[in-house]
Amino acid sequence: MLESPAPRRSGDDLLLRMRCAALNFADLLKAKGEYQEREEPPFTPGLEGAGEVLEAPAGSGFAPGDRVAVCHPGTMAQVIAVPQSACLKIPDRMSFEQAAGFQIAYGSSHLALTLRAALKPGETLAVLGAAGGVGLTAVEIGRALGARVIGIARGAEKLQTIQDAGAEKVIDSADSADLKATLRDLGGVDVVYDPVGDTPGEAAFGALRRGGRFLVIGFAGGNTPKLPLNHALVKNIAIHGFYWGGYNSLEPSALRNSLSELFHLFDTGKLNPVASKPLPLSRLVEGYEMLRSRRAVGKILISL
């Protein structure tokens, strides 16, 4: 691992001692130069994590020792300097491991399901890649919002995790030759949460009811889904592209309000993020390979 001098705090920034960081699919895209927000190499990876405040400017509302979640490029380092706006104090009962992977995954699912899809109690939500880092949070939040949740993943272990998170029905993609038909047999769906894309996204789109909403979250399957726009027209289906980080400039108040609501849901016991055992920093490459091969259940964490 590359070692460099610890940064100094300047201006209104906070200086943080990072304790844990989470891996995201966007990290892989950034490494290949394919992410929408490019960074020229060499750069420190990581987009989110959690740690303690070492130094803070007077009047900032932060003090040394405060425990914070941080969402900012370069979190895969032991000491970082970041803007105050990138940090939120975390509840006392939330561990660093839980907080490290909380913001992007839970934030993406909550803002997408509430602001874009306007998911209502009693509606049916289908979640593709439901055992992954964001998919699992969509299952949990969908349940907390009162929806009937159908989780789609591959393998018995992942399906059990999805059920434990609150899914009413689960579908093993390895056993379902026709996902569209399977979802239709379950009554169809009102909202599709799709971080996978490719043919699973196309199949789930075909199971949407009239007035349904399709959330484009990502393309972990490698290709964008080919969605029939003529069906969207005839069935009054809305297709929502959703990029959580874009709300920093598009509507920052909505993003921060969403995160505040999420921390409240956690504090009241309605959310229970499962924190896997973190890998040491020396196994970072292994962690990225787990992410690339989609072998992980939930977030992959790195101890710092």
Side-chain angles (χ1 to χ4, degrees), residues 117-120 123 190-192 208 211-215 237-238 240:
L119 181 67
K120 303 177 185 67
E123 289 191 317
D190 299 294
V191 176
V192 171
L208 279 168
R213 289 85 77 198
F214 187 93
L215 291 166
I237 290 171
H240 296 290

Side-chain angles (χ1 to χ4, degrees), residues 204-240:
F205 181 90
L208 279 168
R209 299 168 178 155
R210 293 184 180 276
R213 289 85 77 198
F214 187 93
L215 291 166
V216 182
I217 305 297
F219 313 110
N223 295 299
T224 58
K226 297 178 176 63
L227 303 180
L229 297 185
N230 57 324
H231 290 191
L233 186 154
V234 172
K235 296 174 70 177
N236 286 303
I237 290 171
I239 300 170
H240 296 290

Side-chain angles (χ1 to χ4, degrees), residues 18-133:
M18 297 298 293
R19 297 297 179 184
C20 191
L23 306 190
N24 287 280
F25 192 74
D27 293 319
L28 299 178
L29 297 178
K30 287 180 71 174
K32 295 190 294 183
E34 297 176 358
Y35 193 55
Q36 49 261 50
E37 295 177 0
R38 295 175 60 90
E39 285 190 68
E40 293 300 320
F43 60 84
T44 302
L47 292 171
E48 63 176 335
E52 298 165 297
V53 175
L54 293 177
E55 298 178 14
S60 65
F62 294 93
D66 283 346
R67 301 166 68 252
V68 296
V70 56
C71 188
H72 194 268
T75 54
M76 205 66 64
Q78 292 176 318
V79 179
I80 61 173
V82 297
Q84 297 173 40
S85 59
C87 298
L88 285 172
K89 294 180 184 179
I90 61 177
D92 292 340
R93 58 186 292 266
M94 179 179 276
S95 68
F96 285 128
E97 290 78 16
Q98 289 174 315
F102 190 84
Q103 291 186 90
I104 293 177
Y106 278 89
S108 292
S109 294
H110 185 264
L111 204 56
L113 291 172
T114 57
L115 184 65
R116 305 301 288 171
L119 181 67
K120 303 177 185 67
E123 289 191 317
T124 298
L125 166 68
V127 181
L128 299 175

Side-chain angles (χ1 to χ4, degrees), residues 233-304:
L233 186 154
V234 172
K235 296 174 70 177
N236 286 303
I237 290 171
I239 300 170
H240 296 290
F242 184 82
Y243 166 42
W244 184 78
Y247 276 82
N248 278 312
S249 55
L250 179 63
E251 195 174 346
S253 61
L255 190 150
R256 294 189 71 83
N257 290 341
S258 170
L259 288 172
S260 295
E261 174 62 19
L262 283 166
F263 282 129
H264 174 71
L265 289 172
F266 172 88
D267 227 10
T268 54
K270 293 183 179 179
L271 299 178
N272 183 33
V274 177
S276 59
K277 184 178 180 180
L279 300 173
L281 187 57
S282 59
R283 294 174 62 186
L284 178 61
V285 173
E286 178 185 341
Y288 278 126
E289 182 52 39
M290 290 172 62
L291 185 66
R292 183 179 292 108
S293 62
R294 298 172 64 187
R295 287 187 285 121
V297 176
K299 280 281 190 176
I300 301 170
L301 303 175
I302 301 296
S303 176
L304 300 168

